[in-house]
Each structure stands twice: as C-alpha cells, then as structure tokens.
Amino acid sequence: MIRAAVLPAVGAPLEITGIELPEPGPGRVRVRLAAAGVCHSDLSLTDGTMRLPVPAVLGHEGAGTVVSVGEGVTHVAPGDGVVLNWAPSCGACHPCSLGEVWLCVNALNGAAEVHARAADGRDLHPGLNVAAFAEETVVAANCVLPLPEGIPLTDAALLGCAVLTGWGAVHHAARVRAGETVAVFGVGGVGLATLQAARIAGASTIVAVDVSPEKEELARAAGATEYVVASETTAREIRKLTGGNGVDVAVECVGRAVTIRTAWESTRRGGRTTVVGIGGKDQQVSFHALEIFHWGRTLAGCVYGNSDPAADLPVIAGHIREGRFDLGALVTERITLDGIPGAFDAMLAGKGGRALVVF
C-alpha cells in the first residue's frame, strides 16, 4: 500500500488514502515520485471542467526514480531519474502523422484504464495518465522521459507541465521574436514559466497581468518589465505601456472569457493572442465581424505548449544548466500530500505560483 490523493467523484473533496498498485506489466514502468506540481488542470478535474473517468488518482506533473520496469522497456532502467509525460503521443493518428504530437487523439486513452485499487476495493483510474499525486505510480513506458543531465530531480517535476506549456506557448504557439512586446495574463506556475520563456526569447517589453498585487515581485523576478493589476482598464493600460499600440503577443494562462477577450484587446493591430488557460463550456467569448476584419488579430489555442516533450526537454534543460531558466523560481510553496487541498484553495484565491508536493 502507498499513499495517494484520490478524487472519489466530481465535486467531492480529495481523499488522502492508501492504494494498492500492481507490479508493472509489459511495456510499463513503476516510478517512486520525488515531487509533483499542483496544477490548475488537476483542479479542473475536481470540478468537472475536464471530464475523465473517476474515481481517480490525480496529479500529472511529476518526476521521480524508476523502481522497476516491465518486459520490453529498454529506454529507462531501475535507478534512472525520469520526468512524467502526461500526454504521450501514439505516433499513428492523423495529428501525429502531421508532426503535431501535442494534438494526439489517443494521448489520454490511458485515463480510462484501471490504475490501482483503493483500500475499500474500488478500482481507481489515473486522472491524467500518470497519477503523480502518490508516493509511487505505474505508467506506460511512453509516459516517462529520461531526466536531462544536471537537472535536480525534485524541481524537474515542473518540466512535466508548467515549463513545457509556458516554453511552448512562447516559442512554438506564439513564436515570439526578439524585440517583440509580450503580455502574460495570469502569474501562476504556467504564467511564471511563460514570463521566463519570453525573456529568453528576447522580448523587449514584457507585461505581467494578474488580479493579485502581491505577485508583482514574482513576476518581475521571472522577467516582467511591467506589472498590471487586472481591472476593467487593463487593455488600455497595456496600450499606454506600448506607445498606444498594444503588445505584439498576448498569452492567456487563466481560461476565463473576460481574460481571453482582454488579452485579445491588448494586442496591436495584427497582433497574436495565444490561449493556454483551460476554461469551461460556460465561458463564451464574443466578437463582432467588423472588429475581426478591422484589427486583423490572430486568436489561437495552445495545447501543452504545442510541445514535443522529447525534443523540447533537452533544449529547456540547456537553458536551466546555463542559468537562464530558473525552475525553483516557479515554486512558492513546498508541501506534502496532505497539503494538496490547501493548495487548491490557494489557486482558487489567486495566491502564489506553483505548489510542489515533495515526497
């Protein structure tokens, strides 16, 4: 038996309880977790914004050490450090054939499988494939990536979602060029990673936007040159900071209709808005036909940073080793499994950056 954070049903409180894991079968890997990040996507599973089978062990951003491997697994071995990949590509579907592995239609098939058994006999699913809110997990081999050399194992958990998403939003989805101006909406874990990525890309003015004035120091440490507390005048304030034009690129990391609309309005004519945040079906964003024509702006979705983890992790690791990207700066709280419900409450209240569960 190991301890894990289990979501018994949508809308129900998390249970920190014992579960029984199977030994890894063919093509599977058992991992002892070193750390797991608490991401807003986990919260989206608890309230039904994202719908996957329950009851489930939550957690999808993690890193740890391989305990054992099943038959046929050759790319990792017991004792290896690994980063969990919650959205592995199948390599065979239409998006994968186009090289768009982040849109793989089979990426979350594993969430429907039985992952473990609760102490009371219930079958448990892996919330987003990897069930990282647990002392150990058993995952498909394509859900583990070798830990890049020179990266601390605990902080490496952040690579599994926040960093890949923020990095990819800037470098793949928005394709920020040196000298461009950028606004980042939402200064949580993903937003902080996005700010760092924009700085590395060579953005000139980087505006961070959040509802909390207390996050300004975090944002500026990550690379923000300006800080705006979100209000009804946010778009106007951003235009003032950019010579009346608006930014070249806005990255929305919140997933709310009003924030998406504001991000779009904050860009210059011909600007680009990339939406990273995951919103519910009730979040309707409206535009009229004339403004779409007049402004010539682009609004685009972004899944997992439009990243290919296997290709992007070595690149990001190089920036970490050279001191350009600071993983630890994303973390504002280190907690135990029992602290996850409190971390969810903090996210709902708009407090802090990333909470990291350390085992």
Side-chain angles (χ1 to χ4, degrees), residues 170 176 180-187 191-192 194-196 198-199 203-210 215-216 219-220 222-230 233-243 246-253 262-263 266-267:
V170 168
V176 175
E180 288 192 311
T181 55
V182 176
V184 177
F185 288 74
V187 185
L192 289 169
T194 303
L195 289 167
Q196 292 204 48
R199 172 177 47 76
S204 53
T205 299
I206 304 174
V207 185
V209 182
D210 198 275
K215 291 187 180 182
E216 180 171 359
R220 289 189 180 276
T225 60
E226 309 288 345
Y227 192 83
V228 173
V229 178
T233 64
T234 294
R236 192 181 312 154
E237 291 180 59
I238 291 175
R239 286 194 292 272
K240 285 182 180 178
L241 291 169
T242 52
V247 290
D248 296 300
V249 172
V251 182
E252 199 273 357
C253 304
T262 302
S266 299
T267 63

Side-chain angles (χ1 to χ4, degrees), residues 35-39 59-63 84 130 132 157-163 354 356:
V38 182
C39 178
H60 65 282
E61 181 183 82
L84 298 181
V130 297
L158 302 166
L159 293 170
C161 184
V163 174
R354 201 49 132 214
L356 190 67

Side-chain angles (χ1 to χ4, degrees), residues 248-273:
D248 296 300
V249 172
V251 182
E252 199 273 357
C253 304
V254 181
R256 294 182 63 232
V258 66
T259 316
I260 294 169
R261 174 75 204 199
T262 302
W264 187 80
E265 291 177 355
S266 299
T267 63
R268 64 171 174 82
R269 198 173 187 188
R272 314 185 299 279
T273 298

Side-chain angles (χ1 to χ4, degrees), residues 122-137:
R122 289 173 298 168
D123 286 338
L124 303 174
H125 300 281
L128 281 167
N129 278 334
V130 297
F133 287 168
E135 293 168 332
E136 295 188 10
T137 188

Side-chain angles (χ1 to χ4, degrees), residues 146-168:
L147 178 71
E149 184 179 351
I151 307 302
L153 183 59
T154 300
D155 289 348
L158 302 166
L159 293 170
C161 184
V163 174
L164 275 169
T165 300
W167 174 268

